[in-house]
Amino acid sequence: MTAMKCPTNNTKPQTFHIPIDRRRFFKSMALASAGFSLSGYLAEALTSSPIVTQGPYYPSAGNIPLDKDNDLVQLNDNLTIAAGIVSYISGRILDSSGNSVRGALVELWHADKEGDYLYSDSAARNPACDPNFAGFGQFLTGSTGEYKFRTIKAGLYMGRTRHYHWGVTLPGYLTRSTTQTFWNETAYGLNGSAWATQNSNDMVYAGIANAEQRASVLLDYTAVPGTSTGEVQTTWDFVSQFTPVEPTYPNGGSLVAVGAAVAGPTGGNNRFKITVPAYARYTYEIYANPTLANLAWSTLPFSLTQTGAIDRNSYTAATDGNLDLYVERKSVKGFYYVSFRVPGANTGTP
């Protein structure tokens, strides 16, 4: 995924998890008193996020919603929102040295209130899944490395405790790193009874051998101030085991494009034509208009023809040459970002 320039805000960066036991505490005090810089030491003290199974429920391409932004509560233009407790999760993507990562692709997917996924074993959406729940969202980080999602509290299903699935792809890497986060609470089913599988006997959580890594993905949720609907929030930083590599687009092609207004289908709205130099087997996506917290851009669905259906949110080019993409939403900034993934990128856990 290209390191894409995104708008930032001036909010205070979220804190990250630095486990410091008694021995490390006194060591850090000694270093400080000796006048040494602690930056390298603190980087060493960072707990890298555990890498766990992607699981069987990463949605198939046909199940990923056209509206694959960072708001999973409202799907496309539906007026009815997803059932469940609205939950916000935000934080930063950090590299192995503790630096914020710009241009990291962050993916989130999980079960709905009833414990149903979109499904990944067929092209059809799971009919049991809440029709108003997106089930999947993604975010491209800006210069601060921050991300934010609005979703619902994940439901429970047999054999698992409550959890979110995450995929993080650093710039320059072909594969996503996958992990899961958990609720620091007793899990109760919809009938009010304690669930059979808690964090302590969940096969994924209990399978994280390193105690510090295990603690880093057990999250506390608190009430969102000023709301009366039970909304909750938490923060979590993903600390990668890798250092990003700045990808270079072939032949110096630019991925910042101005959309030219063109006529849409008969009786429809005008569209905006975006043209980029494409390369065979590269996958392209369009970003425009700030989304939650103005941290980055939201993804836009598009068409490959001027009057065709807006029916996709990514496209893998078959040949080299100029690629025309058509969107309905006007960019508030007057230009669009077109991201690319190199051939074979983003295929699973490293």
Side-chain angles (χ1 to χ4, degrees):
M1 200 71 174
T2 187
M4 192 175 300
K5 184 177 179 182
C6 298
T8 62
N9 61 8
N10 294 319
T11 58
K12 183 179 179 180
Q14 305 292 336
T15 58
F16 49 82
H17 178 73
I18 306 178
I20 300 181
D21 58 21
R22 182 179 178 85
R23 177 180 59 82
R24 284 184 174 180
F25 172 75
F26 284 114
K27 179 180 177 182
S28 66
M29 291 299 291
L31 287 170
S33 62
F36 292 105
S37 168
L38 289 177
S39 58
Y41 173 71
L42 290 178
E44 182 274 332
L46 279 173
T47 297
S48 62
S49 297
I51 302 303
V52 305
T53 177
Q54 177 172 288
Y57 298 122
Y58 183 88
S60 63
N63 286 332
I64 292 177
L66 282 177
D67 180 21
K68 60 174 184 177
D69 58 15
N70 57 338
D71 186 359
L72 283 67
V73 172
Q74 189 168 15
L75 178 59
N76 299 323
D77 295 324
N78 292 1
L79 297 179
T80 303
I81 66 172
I85 298 174
V86 174
S87 305
Y88 294 86
I89 182 166
S90 59
R92 291 181 298 167
I93 306 302
L94 305 174
D95 66 17
S96 58
S97 298
N99 301 310
S100 299
V101 179
R102 177 171 61 94
L105 177 66
V106 187
E107 299 172 290
L108 169 65
W109 67 100
H110 63 88
D112 68 4
K113 180 184 177 182
E114 303 284 341
D116 292 304
Y117 284 85
L118 295 178
Y119 276 10
S120 55
D121 57 357
S122 71
R125 181 184 172 100
N126 176 16
C129 187
D130 181 352
N132 299 306
F133 178 52
F136 174 92
Q138 71 180 53
F139 195 95
L140 196 69
T141 59
S143 61
T144 64
E146 293 176 274
Y147 72 88
K148 186 172 185 178
F149 285 90
R150 182 174 81 138
T151 186
I152 61 162
K153 190 171 185 176
L156 296 162
Y157 57 94
M158 186 176 296
R160 293 302 312 275
T161 190
R162 206 180 303 277
H163 62 283
Y164 285 156
H165 293 264
W166 298 91
V168 178
T169 307
L170 264 60
Y173 285 83
L174 296 182
T175 53
R176 65 173 67 88
S177 297
T178 58
T179 193
Q180 297 178 28
T181 56
F182 303 83
W183 271 255
N184 186 17
E185 63 180 23
T186 300
Y188 291 94
L190 295 176
N191 62 0
S193 300
W195 196 248
T197 305
Q198 299 290 330
N199 293 323
S200 59
N201 62 331
D202 181 87
M203 60 182 178
V204 176
Y205 181 77
I208 301 172
N210 184 285
E212 292 180 345
Q213 288 187 321
R214 196 164 57 246
S216 73
V217 292
L218 187 62
L219 308 181
D220 293 309
Y221 285 76
T222 59
V224 175
T227 63
S228 58
T229 56
E231 296 183 0
V232 296
Q233 62 185 359
T234 193
T235 60
W236 171 66
D237 290 341
F238 177 87
V239 182
S240 177
Q241 300 174 4
F242 306 109
T243 298
V245 178
E246 189 78 15
T248 302
Y249 195 63
N251 302 329
S254 173
L255 290 179
V256 177
V258 176
V262 296
T266 303
N269 298 325
N270 286 340
R271 290 186 174 177
F272 299 90
K273 178 182 178 182
I274 301 166
T275 302
V276 296
Y279 295 85
R281 298 176 56 233
Y282 277 66
T283 300
Y284 298 87
E285 296 175 326
I286 300 174
Y287 289 79
N289 301 337
T291 181
L292 290 178
N294 292 334
L295 294 177
W297 300 102
S298 60
T299 53
L300 296 185
F302 56 87
S303 173
L304 296 179
T305 63
Q306 184 171 335
T307 59
I310 302 294
D311 60 356
R312 66 194 67 220
N313 47 39
S314 66
Y315 176 70
T316 301
T319 60
D320 294 353
N322 284 342
L323 175 64
D324 295 331
L325 307 172
Y326 298 86
V327 299
E328 287 186 336
R329 298 184 193 174
K330 183 178 181 180
S331 171
V332 297
K333 296 291 186 179
F335 55 87
Y336 299 84
Y337 289 111
V338 181
S339 72
F340 70 88
R341 303 184 198 181
V342 298
N346 203 227
T347 55
T349 306

